Amino acid sequence: MAAARRGKAGDPRAGFRRDAGEPGPAVPQGLIRAARKNGQLNLAGRDLSEVPANVWRINLDIPEEAHQNLSFGAADRWWEQTDLTKLILASNKLQCLSEDVRLLPALTVLDVHDNQLTSIPSAIGFLENLQKLSVSHNKLKNIPEELTQLKHLKSLLLQHNELSHLPDGFGQLISLEELDLSNNQLATIPSSFASLTSLVRLNLAHNQLKNLPAEISAMKSLKQLDCTKNQLETIPSELASMASLEQLYLRKNKLQYLPEFPSCKLLKELHVGENQIEVLSAEHLKHLNSLCVLELRDNKLKSLPDEITLLQGLERLDLTNNDISSLPCALGNLPQLKLLALEGNPLRTIRRDMLQKGTQELLKYLRSKIQDDITSPNEGSPVTAMTLPSESRINIHAITALKVLEYSEKRAAVIPDEIFNAVGSNSVTTVNFSKNQLNEIPKRYSYFLVDVIPHPNNSFLSLSLSNVLKRLNAAFLCLQFRNNFLTSLPEEMEALIRLQIINLCFNRFKIFPNVLYRIPTLETILLSNNQVGSIDPLQIRKIDKLGTLDLQNNDLLQVPPELGNCVNLRTLLLEGNPFRTPRAAILAKGTAAVLEYLRSRIPT
């Protein structure tokens, strides 16, 4: 009998082979022995309905073979075993985990995804070395407070469960870098999330969130935030201060407008498709210098701001299924754009066959139309002061919810009184009278302006703002006078102590407007497609917040080397001028290379 037992013990297949009629162990002994040597045990996909006790006690019990074999080789020294650090129990039929999980304190990885777990044992708090916990694709309804004691946990995967709330102490997971809570039933997020300052990736997609806590902005390391398919109606303005954010997913919510992103200078992808967004303004775009992907499909956008051309690194722009009737031709000048999706828009100025030719042909067509865009007549019937309110298409929702007074592309010589009357007692922050035939600022215009005055594509023969500036108390942030006949700006504009953006593209300026040098708050100056012959680099340097200067397609015969000292410039556009240096090869390398080249040319 003893000989038979010794022979069996010496069989290298022992533990993997069973004799006929002998019930097989749930976990082969060969796997157990290997786990004692390398500290890893993979029991995935074995139809386990419970975890055998010998798994939890793997580092406590003396192995069975030690009682059977008293002569040990180097490979059989069980007392030199390695503590179990990685346990994979994925894709089984487990309905619960034993409190005996506490017997594996050395675990750094515990993977129990794709089971039928309804809870996590409170003993999980004893796994003080745990770094990764995957409990996704189960039936969890809550998380034990003890889980928040895992100070070294870096990755927590809880997606595809039935969670409706989270422990208040979640913020104690100070080492957490990855957290996936997608596809649950969460309606709120604990404010303690503010303490998760090491978090890099946060997935909250497919829940029932109606708002995000402002404290989320305290996550200073967060690079990826996914809030797809929730019930978000607004985004906290604090989100815009998250300087490390690179990818933001807000698709399939109920957003009617976007926040501004003054600090998100590293943002590369912004996904906001399938919402109810009606307006995309310059304020939304002016700081997004790193943006590569802008996804806006299935919204209610009626137009695209000219400032879209500030996104010089943009590679993909998806505008599918909106209400856009025309595009700014300068869109064709985006150098990196590889995909422009426009299907499902009522475009009047671009033929369907042109859309079918692909992005590069479409961009080429838009570039060819840039000069035509200056003087081309708009389609549709002229609108007069006698236009009926029903014909004016007053967007009451935009006035009340978005604070936007919209009356553009009407070929209107005057703005009907009904448009102003519709404002009533509402506070309006944005007025858009673009692409009309106005020869003067409407007298009632100044009563409603607060932050933005867009007036592009009107027929201004002169610009008189003195009285308007007094009424406005110098409060607006953005001025748009694109596509007019302006040759100068009034000196009174220096009273605009909050002005950040001015768009003067496609006018008739022959000199750089001197008044702009005296507005230190300016961050963006757009002067492309004029006849400007020179600039003063010393004066421009005094505008210390200036980040974008667009002087494309002017009459600059030289670029002063001192412009290279304007180190705050993030975007400097000079293409299309008759100067010889810097050469096109230098311009193609981007703003940093151009500034460095100019500095190298400064006489010493």
Side-chain angles (χ1 to χ4, degrees):
M1 187 72 176
R5 195 159 45 237
R6 282 196 299 272
K8 200 171 195 177
D11 189 344
R13 292 169 294 178
F16 290 91
R17 186 182 66 180
R18 70 174 185 234
D19 297 331
E22 182 180 322
V27 179
Q29 287 302 310
L31 285 181
I32 295 293
R33 284 200 297 271
R36 288 196 177 101
K37 294 177 182 178
N38 59 30
Q40 301 182 15
L41 180 58
N42 188 343
L43 299 177
R46 292 184 171 271
D47 289 328
L48 297 177
S49 57
E50 62 179 10
V51 180
N54 64 334
V55 171
W56 301 128
R57 302 183 60 84
I58 189 171
N59 296 136
L60 296 178
D61 294 343
I62 298 175
E64 180 67 25
E65 59 268 24
H67 299 290
Q68 300 174 353
N69 189 355
L70 299 180
S71 60
F72 302 104
D76 296 319
R77 295 174 180 171
W78 55 267
W79 56 86
E80 296 178 356
Q81 65 182 1
T82 300
D83 285 342
L84 195 66
T85 59
K86 184 175 182 179
L87 177 58
I88 300 177
L89 296 166
S91 301
N92 282 290
K93 298 178 180 179
L94 303 177
Q95 296 183 3
C96 65
L97 290 180
S98 169
E99 294 286 340
D100 285 345
V101 69
R102 74 179 66 195
L103 301 179
L104 298 173
L107 277 183
T108 60
V109 176
L110 177 58
D111 186 349
V112 289
H113 83 269
D114 189 22
N115 278 283
Q116 301 171 24
L117 300 176
T118 57
S119 63
I120 298 175
S122 58
I124 196 76
F126 287 91
L127 305 185
E128 58 183 20
N129 293 300
L130 201 62
Q131 296 181 23
K132 179 176 181 179
L133 175 60
S134 177
V135 205
S136 66
H137 295 84
N138 278 282
K139 299 179 180 181
L140 298 180
K141 296 184 182 299
N142 53 66
I143 300 296
E145 192 73 38
E146 288 81 2
L147 187 144
T148 64
Q149 301 171 11
L150 302 178
K151 305 299 184 183
H152 297 98
L153 194 64
K154 294 183 178 180
S155 176
L156 178 56
L157 307 180
L158 293 166
Q159 67 269 32
H160 289 276
N161 277 285
E162 301 173 10
L163 300 173
S164 57
H165 66 279
L166 298 173
D168 292 332
F170 222 85
Q172 298 178 52
L173 298 172
I174 55 176
S175 298
L176 206 59
E177 298 176 1
E178 178 184 26
L179 175 59
D180 195 337
L181 291 162
S182 61
N183 292 278
N184 278 284
Q185 301 169 16
L186 297 172
T188 59
I189 296 297
S191 59
S192 64
F193 265 43
S195 301
L196 301 179
T197 54
S198 298
L199 202 62
V200 176
R201 293 177 297 278
L202 174 58
N203 193 342
L204 298 170
H206 294 262
N207 277 284
Q208 300 172 15
L209 301 174
K210 293 185 177 180
N211 54 64
L212 294 175
E215 291 83 359
I216 199 172
S217 62
M219 298 179 182
K220 300 303 182 183
S221 302
L222 197 66
K223 293 184 178 181
Q224 183 184 89
L225 175 59
D226 192 345
C227 296
T228 299
K229 201 171 184 181
N230 277 277
Q231 302 174 25
L232 300 175
E233 296 182 1
T234 60
I235 298 297
S237 58
E238 290 82 0
L239 183 70
S241 66
M242 301 181 72
S244 61
L245 203 59
E246 296 181 3
Q247 295 175 308
L248 178 58
Y249 297 83
L250 297 169
R251 301 183 72 248
K252 297 184 178 181
N253 279 283
K254 299 179 180 180
L255 300 176
Q256 296 180 351
Y257 60 90
L258 285 176
E260 298 169 16
F261 298 96
S263 299
C264 298
K265 293 180 172 59
L266 298 178
L267 193 64
K268 296 178 182 178
E269 298 186 23
L270 177 57
H271 300 261
V272 286
E274 298 187 57
N275 279 282
Q276 302 169 22
I277 298 170
E278 296 186 6
V279 175
L280 183 68
S281 71
E283 295 296 313
H284 297 134
L285 304 175
K286 67 178 182 179
H287 299 290
L288 302 180
N289 302 94
S290 300
L291 203 63
C292 298
V293 177
L294 178 56
E295 190 260 304
L296 286 159
R297 64 174 299 137
D298 294 286
N299 276 285
K300 299 179 180 179
L301 293 175
K302 293 179 173 60
S303 62
L304 204 61
D306 300 316
E307 285 75 12
I308 192 73
T309 56
L310 295 177
L311 307 180
Q312 291 288 295
L314 197 62
E315 298 178 5
R316 176 184 171 190
L317 176 59
D318 190 347
L319 299 169
T320 304
N321 297 329
N322 276 278
D323 298 326
I324 298 171
S325 58
S326 63
L327 293 174
C329 293
L331 189 64
N333 285 332
L334 287 177
Q336 306 297 328
L337 196 59
K338 298 179 177 63
L339 174 64
L340 176 58
L342 295 168
E343 295 81 2
N345 282 283
L347 291 167
R348 297 197 301 262
T349 56
I350 302 177
R351 300 190 310 273
R352 179 175 295 275
D353 63 319
M354 179 58 65
L355 294 176
Q356 295 174 345
K357 290 183 178 180
T359 296
Q360 295 310 312
E361 285 298 315
L362 179 56
L363 296 180
K364 182 178 179 181
Y365 170 79
L366 289 173
R367 287 193 294 270
S368 73
K369 303 296 288 185
I370 285 179
Q371 290 303 319
D372 295 340
D373 189 48
I374 302 177
T375 57
S376 61
N378 292 307
E379 298 179 8
S381 302
V383 178
T384 69
M386 299 302 294
T387 301
L388 297 175
S390 59
E391 296 171 346
S392 300
R393 299 180 183 178
I394 301 173
N395 191 335
I396 299 298
H397 171 73
I399 293 173
T400 57
L402 306 179
K403 299 183 180 182
V404 174
L405 181 58
E406 169 77 29
Y407 195 77
S408 61
E409 301 185 51
K410 306 294 186 183
R411 293 185 62 201
V414 294
I415 303 298
D417 284 342
E418 288 80 3
I419 299 297
F420 295 102
N421 293 338
V423 176
S425 60
N426 292 290
S427 174
V428 172
T429 60
T430 301
V431 177
N432 186 356
F433 293 160
S434 305
K435 295 187 178 180
N436 284 294
Q437 296 180 359
L438 304 177
N439 288 310
E440 63 178 357
I441 294 177
K443 291 182 175 61
R444 297 184 62 181
Y445 198 177
S446 60
Y447 285 90
F448 303 106
L449 285 171
V450 176
D451 284 336
V452 184
I453 299 186
H455 245 106
N457 293 72
N458 292 312
S459 303
F460 287 101
L461 297 176
S462 64
L463 181 61
S464 177
L465 287 175
S466 302
N467 294 330
V468 176
L469 292 176
K470 294 176 182 177
R471 297 296 302 270
L472 293 176
N473 194 26
F476 40 115
L477 302 176
C478 175
L479 280 173
Q480 297 196 45
F481 292 104
R482 187 181 189 275
N483 281 61
N484 290 288
F485 302 141
L486 299 176
T487 59
S488 63
L489 297 178
E491 297 302 311
E492 292 87 350
M493 285 187 63
E494 66 179 320
L496 301 177
I497 57 176
R498 292 178 56 198
L499 188 63
Q500 297 178 1
I501 298 177
I502 188 163
N503 187 343
L504 300 170
C505 299
F506 293 100
N507 277 281
R508 297 182 178 180
F509 290 94
K510 292 186 178 180
I511 62 173
F512 192 97
N514 285 322
V515 68
L516 298 184
Y517 293 135
R518 301 196 296 277
I519 306 178
T521 55
L522 277 171
E523 298 178 4
T524 298
I525 298 176
L526 306 180
L527 256 173
S528 68
N529 295 278
N530 280 276
Q531 302 165 37
V532 175
S534 64
I535 52 175
D536 187 338
L538 299 181
Q539 295 292 335
I540 287 179
R541 191 177 180 184
K542 293 179 180 179
I543 314 174
D544 54 7
K545 293 185 178 180
L546 190 64
T548 298
L549 178 59
D550 185 355
L551 293 168
Q552 295 178 100
N553 301 315
N554 276 279
D555 294 335
L556 294 175
L557 293 176
Q558 63 176 357
V559 181
E562 292 79 8
L563 190 61
N565 288 328
C566 299
V567 293
N568 289 329
L569 280 175
R570 298 186 302 274
T571 303
L572 175 61
L573 305 176
L574 297 170
E575 290 81 0
N577 282 280
F579 56 75
R580 292 189 176 185
T581 58
R583 296 188 179 276
I586 298 293
L587 297 180
K589 292 181 180 180
T591 298
V594 172
L595 295 178
E596 183 179 359
Y597 170 82
L598 291 174
R599 286 194 295 272
S600 72
R601 306 273 292 184
I602 297 176
T604 56

mmCIF file of all heavy atoms in Angstrom, residues 32-33 35-37 57-83:
data_model
loop_
_atom_site.group_PDB
_atom_site.id
_atom_site.type_symbol
_atom_site.label_atom_id
_atom_site.label_comp_id
_atom_site.label_asym_id
_atom_site.label_seq_id
_atom_site.Cartn_x
_atom_site.Cartn_y
_atom_site.Cartn_z
ATOM 1 N N ILE A 32 -2.368 24.288 -7.728
ATOM 2 C CA ILE A 32 -2.094 24.740 -6.362
ATOM 3 C C ILE A 32 -0.590 24.760 -6.095
ATOM 4 O O ILE A 32 -0.042 25.714 -5.533
ATOM 5 C CB ILE A 32 -2.813 23.850 -5.335
ATOM 6 C CG1 ILE A 32 -4.341 23.980 -5.490
ATOM 7 C CG2 ILE A 32 -2.379 24.206 -3.916
ATOM 8 C CD1 ILE A 32 -4.877 25.335 -5.116
ATOM 9 N N ARG A 33 0.090 23.671 -6.525
ATOM 10 C CA ARG A 33 1.540 23.611 -6.300
ATOM 11 C C ARG A 33 2.256 24.718 -7.064
ATOM 12 O O ARG A 33 3.170 25.359 -6.548
ATOM 13 C CB ARG A 33 2.080 22.240 -6.722
ATOM 14 C CG ARG A 33 1.771 21.132 -5.736
ATOM 15 C CD ARG A 33 2.715 19.938 -5.946
ATOM 16 N NE ARG A 33 2.524 19.343 -7.272
ATOM 17 C CZ ARG A 33 1.650 18.366 -7.532
ATOM 18 N NH1 ARG A 33 0.887 17.890 -6.549
ATOM 19 N NH2 ARG A 33 1.542 17.858 -8.741
ATOM 20 N N ALA A 35 1.031 27.576 -7.905
ATOM 21 C CA ALA A 35 0.715 28.857 -7.280
ATOM 22 C C ALA A 35 1.580 29.120 -6.062
ATOM 23 O O ALA A 35 1.926 30.262 -5.756
ATOM 24 C CB ALA A 35 -0.761 28.904 -6.907
ATOM 25 N N ARG A 36 1.935 28.026 -5.333
ATOM 26 C CA ARG A 36 2.788 28.202 -4.162
ATOM 27 C C ARG A 36 4.199 28.643 -4.567
ATOM 28 O O ARG A 36 4.913 29.258 -3.780
ATOM 29 C CB ARG A 36 2.861 26.890 -3.368
ATOM 30 C CG ARG A 36 1.570 26.543 -2.630
ATOM 31 C CD ARG A 36 1.831 25.466 -1.582
ATOM 32 N NE ARG A 36 0.619 25.167 -0.825
ATOM 33 C CZ ARG A 36 -0.142 24.103 -1.048
ATOM 34 N NH1 ARG A 36 0.202 23.235 -1.995
ATOM 35 N NH2 ARG A 36 -1.225 23.906 -0.328
ATOM 36 N N LYS A 37 4.562 28.345 -5.800
ATOM 37 C CA LYS A 37 5.909 28.696 -6.265
ATOM 38 C C LYS A 37 5.953 30.106 -6.863
ATOM 39 O O LYS A 37 6.884 30.863 -6.614
ATOM 40 C CB LYS A 37 6.381 27.681 -7.304
ATOM 41 C CG LYS A 37 6.583 26.284 -6.747
ATOM 42 C CD LYS A 37 6.984 25.322 -7.863
ATOM 43 C CE LYS A 37 7.152 23.890 -7.327
ATOM 44 N NZ LYS A 37 7.505 22.936 -8.406
ATOM 45 N N ARG A 57 -6.833 29.017 1.929
ATOM 46 C CA ARG A 57 -5.844 28.607 2.925
ATOM 47 C C ARG A 57 -4.538 28.166 2.286
ATOM 48 O O ARG A 57 -3.719 27.511 2.932
ATOM 49 C CB ARG A 57 -6.415 27.477 3.783
ATOM 50 C CG ARG A 57 -7.712 27.839 4.499
ATOM 51 C CD ARG A 57 -8.190 26.692 5.400
ATOM 52 N NE ARG A 57 -7.187 26.382 6.423
ATOM 53 C CZ ARG A 57 -7.072 27.032 7.574
ATOM 54 N NH1 ARG A 57 -7.904 28.024 7.854
ATOM 55 N NH2 ARG A 57 -6.141 26.711 8.443
ATOM 56 N N ILE A 58 -4.323 28.548 1.043
ATOM 57 C CA ILE A 58 -3.171 28.055 0.284
ATOM 58 C C ILE A 58 -1.843 28.371 0.968
ATOM 59 O O ILE A 58 -0.873 27.608 0.858
ATOM 60 C CB ILE A 58 -3.192 28.622 -1.147
ATOM 61 C CG1 ILE A 58 -2.121 27.945 -2.006
ATOM 62 C CG2 ILE A 58 -3.035 30.134 -1.155
ATOM 63 C CD1 ILE A 58 -2.221 28.302 -3.486
ATOM 64 N N ASN A 59 -1.787 29.478 1.698
ATOM 65 C CA ASN A 59 -0.536 29.852 2.359
ATOM 66 C C ASN A 59 -0.505 29.485 3.837
ATOM 67 O O ASN A 59 0.448 29.813 4.542
ATOM 68 C CB ASN A 59 -0.288 31.365 2.218
ATOM 69 C CG ASN A 59 -0.088 31.779 0.771
ATOM 70 O OD1 ASN A 59 -0.645 32.785 0.333
ATOM 71 N ND2 ASN A 59 0.670 30.994 0.006
ATOM 72 N N LEU A 60 -1.551 28.767 4.296
ATOM 73 C CA LEU A 60 -1.620 28.399 5.712
ATOM 74 C C LEU A 60 -1.453 26.906 5.937
ATOM 75 O O LEU A 60 -0.713 26.486 6.835
ATOM 76 C CB LEU A 60 -2.968 28.861 6.301
ATOM 77 C CG LEU A 60 -3.232 30.366 6.329
ATOM 78 C CD1 LEU A 60 -4.623 30.640 6.896
ATOM 79 C CD2 LEU A 60 -2.172 31.089 7.145
ATOM 80 N N ASP A 61 -2.135 26.110 5.146
ATOM 81 C CA ASP A 61 -2.129 24.662 5.367
ATOM 82 C C ASP A 61 -0.864 24.019 4.830
ATOM 83 O O ASP A 61 -0.316 24.438 3.798
ATOM 84 C CB ASP A 61 -3.341 24.026 4.697
ATOM 85 C CG ASP A 61 -4.650 24.457 5.340
ATOM 86 O OD1 ASP A 61 -4.603 24.962 6.472
ATOM 87 O OD2 ASP A 61 -5.705 24.302 4.689
ATOM 88 N N ILE A 62 -0.419 22.972 5.512
ATOM 89 C CA ILE A 62 0.701 22.162 5.018
ATOM 90 C C ILE A 62 0.188 21.329 3.843
ATOM 91 O O ILE A 62 -0.863 20.683 3.929
ATOM 92 C CB ILE A 62 1.239 21.230 6.117
ATOM 93 C CG1 ILE A 62 1.785 22.066 7.284
ATOM 94 C CG2 ILE A 62 2.315 20.301 5.579
ATOM 95 C CD1 ILE A 62 2.237 21.229 8.467
ATOM 96 N N PRO A 63 0.875 21.374 2.713
ATOM 97 C CA PRO A 63 0.404 20.637 1.541
ATOM 98 C C PRO A 63 0.224 19.149 1.836
ATOM 99 O O PRO A 63 0.948 18.561 2.641
ATOM 100 C CB PRO A 63 1.526 20.850 0.522
ATOM 101 C CG PRO A 63 2.222 22.087 0.969
ATOM 102 C CD PRO A 63 2.125 22.080 2.465
ATOM 103 N N GLU A 64 -0.761 18.538 1.195
ATOM 104 C CA GLU A 64 -1.056 17.123 1.372
ATOM 105 C C GLU A 64 0.148 16.264 1.026
ATOM 106 O O GLU A 64 0.441 15.275 1.705
ATOM 107 C CB GLU A 64 -2.256 16.749 0.488
ATOM 108 C CG GLU A 64 -2.669 15.285 0.579
ATOM 109 C CD GLU A 64 -3.226 14.933 1.954
ATOM 110 O OE1 GLU A 64 -3.735 15.853 2.647
ATOM 111 O OE2 GLU A 64 -3.148 13.752 2.331
ATOM 112 N N GLU A 65 0.877 16.658 -0.003
ATOM 113 C CA GLU A 65 2.016 15.832 -0.424
ATOM 114 C C GLU A 65 3.120 15.797 0.623
ATOM 115 O O GLU A 65 3.957 14.888 0.636
ATOM 116 C CB GLU A 65 2.590 16.322 -1.766
ATOM 117 C CG GLU A 65 3.081 17.766 -1.774
ATOM 118 C CD GLU A 65 1.989 18.735 -2.207
ATOM 119 O OE1 GLU A 65 0.789 18.384 -2.064
ATOM 120 O OE2 GLU A 65 2.344 19.822 -2.696
ATOM 121 N N ALA A 66 3.132 16.794 1.534
ATOM 122 C CA ALA A 66 4.163 16.810 2.578
ATOM 123 C C ALA A 66 3.957 15.666 3.556
ATOM 124 O O ALA A 66 4.907 15.162 4.157
ATOM 125 C CB ALA A 66 4.135 18.139 3.326
ATOM 126 N N HIS A 67 2.699 15.198 3.722
ATOM 127 C CA HIS A 67 2.415 14.069 4.599
ATOM 128 C C HIS A 67 2.726 12.745 3.917
ATOM 129 O O HIS A 67 2.852 11.722 4.571
ATOM 130 C CB HIS A 67 0.945 14.074 5.019
ATOM 131 C CG HIS A 67 0.559 15.300 5.789
ATOM 132 N ND1 HIS A 67 0.995 15.565 7.074
ATOM 133 C CD2 HIS A 67 -0.227 16.353 5.424
ATOM 134 C CE1 HIS A 67 0.493 16.727 7.479
ATOM 135 N NE2 HIS A 67 -0.252 17.218 6.502
ATOM 136 N N GLN A 68 2.834 12.766 2.596
ATOM 137 C CA GLN A 68 2.993 11.529 1.848
ATOM 138 C C GLN A 68 4.432 11.273 1.445
ATOM 139 O O GLN A 68 4.813 10.149 1.189
ATOM 140 C CB GLN A 68 2.115 11.571 0.585
ATOM 141 C CG GLN A 68 0.621 11.739 0.901
ATOM 142 C CD GLN A 68 -0.194 11.917 -0.362
ATOM 143 O OE1 GLN A 68 0.363 12.048 -1.441
ATOM 144 N NE2 GLN A 68 -1.514 11.899 -0.223
ATOM 145 N N ASN A 69 5.230 12.317 1.366
ATOM 146 C CA ASN A 69 6.572 12.176 0.849
ATOM 147 C C ASN A 69 7.551 12.831 1.818
ATOM 148 O O ASN A 69 7.534 14.041 1.991
ATOM 149 C CB ASN A 69 6.653 12.835 -0.532
ATOM 150 C CG ASN A 69 7.985 12.534 -1.223
ATOM 151 O OD1 ASN A 69 8.873 11.910 -0.629
ATOM 152 N ND2 ASN A 69 8.118 12.981 -2.459
ATOM 153 N N LEU A 70 8.381 12.024 2.461
ATOM 154 C CA LEU A 70 9.294 12.546 3.471
ATOM 155 C C LEU A 70 10.671 12.863 2.894
ATOM 156 O O LEU A 70 11.555 13.311 3.615
ATOM 157 C CB LEU A 70 9.435 11.543 4.619
ATOM 158 C CG LEU A 70 8.135 11.233 5.354
ATOM 159 C CD1 LEU A 70 8.406 10.228 6.470
ATOM 160 C CD2 LEU A 70 7.503 12.500 5.907
ATOM 161 N N SER A 71 10.887 12.608 1.608
ATOM 162 C CA SER A 71 12.166 12.958 0.964
ATOM 163 C C SER A 71 11.875 14.062 -0.045
ATOM 164 O O SER A 71 11.149 13.863 -1.009
ATOM 165 C CB SER A 71 12.770 11.736 0.257
ATOM 166 O OG SER A 71 11.891 11.251 -0.730
ATOM 167 N N PHE A 72 12.409 15.257 0.213
ATOM 168 C CA PHE A 72 12.089 16.419 -0.610
ATOM 169 C C PHE A 72 13.270 16.809 -1.484
ATOM 170 O O PHE A 72 14.393 16.921 -1.026
ATOM 171 C CB PHE A 72 11.725 17.610 0.279
ATOM 172 C CG PHE A 72 10.572 17.315 1.196
ATOM 173 C CD1 PHE A 72 10.794 17.057 2.545
ATOM 174 C CD2 PHE A 72 9.282 17.293 0.713
ATOM 175 C CE1 PHE A 72 9.738 16.791 3.397
ATOM 176 C CE2 PHE A 72 8.222 17.028 1.565
ATOM 177 C CZ PHE A 72 8.445 16.769 2.905
ATOM 178 N N GLY A 73 12.953 17.059 -2.745
ATOM 179 C CA GLY A 73 13.941 17.659 -3.635
ATOM 180 C C GLY A 73 13.836 19.169 -3.548
ATOM 181 O O GLY A 73 12.979 19.722 -2.860
ATOM 182 N N ALA A 74 14.718 19.838 -4.299
ATOM 183 C CA ALA A 74 14.724 21.301 -4.258
ATOM 184 C C ALA A 74 13.385 21.876 -4.718
ATOM 185 O O ALA A 74 12.955 22.930 -4.257
ATOM 186 C CB ALA A 74 15.857 21.834 -5.137
ATOM 187 N N ALA A 75 12.725 21.147 -5.610
ATOM 188 C CA ALA A 75 11.466 21.660 -6.157
ATOM 189 C C ALA A 75 10.285 21.426 -5.239
ATOM 190 O O ALA A 75 9.205 21.933 -5.476
ATOM 191 C CB ALA A 75 11.199 21.011 -7.520
ATOM 192 N N ASP A 76 10.455 20.651 -4.175
ATOM 193 C CA ASP A 76 9.320 20.281 -3.330
ATOM 194 C C ASP A 76 9.399 20.883 -1.925
ATOM 195 O O ASP A 76 8.737 20.405 -1.011
ATOM 196 C CB ASP A 76 9.245 18.754 -3.212
ATOM 197 C CG ASP A 76 8.960 18.104 -4.558
ATOM 198 O OD1 ASP A 76 8.128 18.657 -5.299
ATOM 199 O OD2 ASP A 76 9.574 17.067 -4.841
ATOM 200 N N ARG A 77 10.201 21.921 -1.750
ATOM 201 C CA ARG A 77 10.327 22.520 -0.426
ATOM 202 C C ARG A 77 9.147 23.450 -0.181
ATOM 203 O O ARG A 77 9.223 24.656 -0.369
ATOM 204 C CB ARG A 77 11.647 23.273 -0.318
ATOM 205 C CG ARG A 77 12.865 22.345 -0.412
ATOM 206 C CD ARG A 77 14.156 23.137 -0.450
ATOM 207 N NE ARG A 77 15.308 22.241 -0.550
ATOM 208 C CZ ARG A 77 16.554 22.648 -0.768
ATOM 209 N NH1 ARG A 77 16.801 23.950 -0.930
ATOM 210 N NH2 ARG A 77 17.541 21.785 -0.839
ATOM 211 N N TRP A 78 8.053 22.865 0.286
ATOM 212 C CA TRP A 78 6.815 23.621 0.424
ATOM 213 C C TRP A 78 6.917 24.740 1.444
ATOM 214 O O TRP A 78 6.208 25.712 1.389
ATOM 215 C CB TRP A 78 5.661 22.672 0.812
ATOM 216 C CG TRP A 78 5.934 21.856 2.043
ATOM 217 C CD1 TRP A 78 6.463 20.614 2.084
ATOM 218 C CD2 TRP A 78 5.692 22.258 3.398
ATOM 219 N NE1 TRP A 78 6.582 20.178 3.373
ATOM 220 C CE2 TRP A 78 6.106 21.174 4.209
ATOM 221 C CE3 TRP A 78 5.181 23.386 4.012
ATOM 222 C CZ2 TRP A 78 6.025 21.200 5.593
ATOM 223 C CZ3 TRP A 78 5.080 23.424 5.390
ATOM 224 C CH2 TRP A 78 5.505 22.337 6.156
ATOM 225 N N TRP A 79 7.859 24.595 2.415
ATOM 226 C CA TRP A 79 7.985 25.635 3.438
ATOM 227 C C TRP A 79 8.629 26.912 2.874
ATOM 228 O O TRP A 79 8.657 27.936 3.541
ATOM 229 C CB TRP A 79 8.798 25.106 4.621
ATOM 230 C CG TRP A 79 10.168 24.580 4.239
ATOM 231 C CD1 TRP A 79 11.299 25.302 4.122
ATOM 232 C CD2 TRP A 79 10.513 23.234 3.909
ATOM 233 N NE1 TRP A 79 12.341 24.508 3.755
ATOM 234 C CE2 TRP A 79 11.889 23.207 3.618
ATOM 235 C CE3 TRP A 79 9.787 22.024 3.833
ATOM 236 C CZ2 TRP A 79 12.551 22.042 3.249
ATOM 237 C CZ3 TRP A 79 10.458 20.872 3.471
ATOM 238 C CH2 TRP A 79 11.814 20.893 3.186
ATOM 239 N N GLU A 80 9.159 26.811 1.638
ATOM 240 C CA GLU A 80 9.732 27.990 0.982
ATOM 241 C C GLU A 80 8.742 28.605 -0.011
ATOM 242 O O GLU A 80 9.133 29.330 -0.910
ATOM 243 C CB GLU A 80 11.032 27.615 0.262
ATOM 244 C CG GLU A 80 12.127 27.158 1.206
ATOM 245 C CD GLU A 80 13.385 26.752 0.462
ATOM 246 O OE1 GLU A 80 13.363 26.764 -0.791
ATOM 247 O OE2 GLU A 80 14.385 26.437 1.120
ATOM 248 N N GLN A 81 7.470 28.325 0.141
ATOM 249 C CA GLN A 81 6.464 28.771 -0.818
ATOM 250 C C GLN A 81 6.353 30.303 -0.842
ATOM 251 O O GLN A 81 6.702 30.990 0.105
ATOM 252 C CB GLN A 81 5.111 28.180 -0.471
ATOM 253 C CG GLN A 81 4.538 28.664 0.850
ATOM 254 C CD GLN A 81 3.199 28.001 1.158
ATOM 255 O OE1 GLN A 81 2.724 27.180 0.388
ATOM 256 N NE2 GLN A 81 2.605 28.379 2.268
ATOM 257 N N THR A 82 5.834 30.805 -1.965
ATOM 258 C CA THR A 82 5.600 32.237 -2.155
ATOM 259 C C THR A 82 4.159 32.574 -1.800
ATOM 260 O O THR A 82 3.238 31.841 -2.162
ATOM 261 C CB THR A 82 5.870 32.632 -3.628
ATOM 262 O OG1 THR A 82 7.227 32.324 -3.952
ATOM 263 C CG2 THR A 82 5.610 34.112 -3.853
ATOM 264 N N ASP A 83 3.949 33.675 -1.096
ATOM 265 C CA ASP A 83 2.586 34.108 -0.778
ATOM 266 C C ASP A 83 1.817 34.403 -2.057
ATOM 267 O O ASP A 83 2.368 34.955 -3.029
ATOM 268 C CB ASP A 83 2.617 35.372 0.088
ATOM 269 C CG ASP A 83 3.023 35.062 1.522
ATOM 270 O OD1 ASP A 83 2.932 33.887 1.908
ATOM 271 O OD2 ASP A 83 3.423 35.998 2.240
#
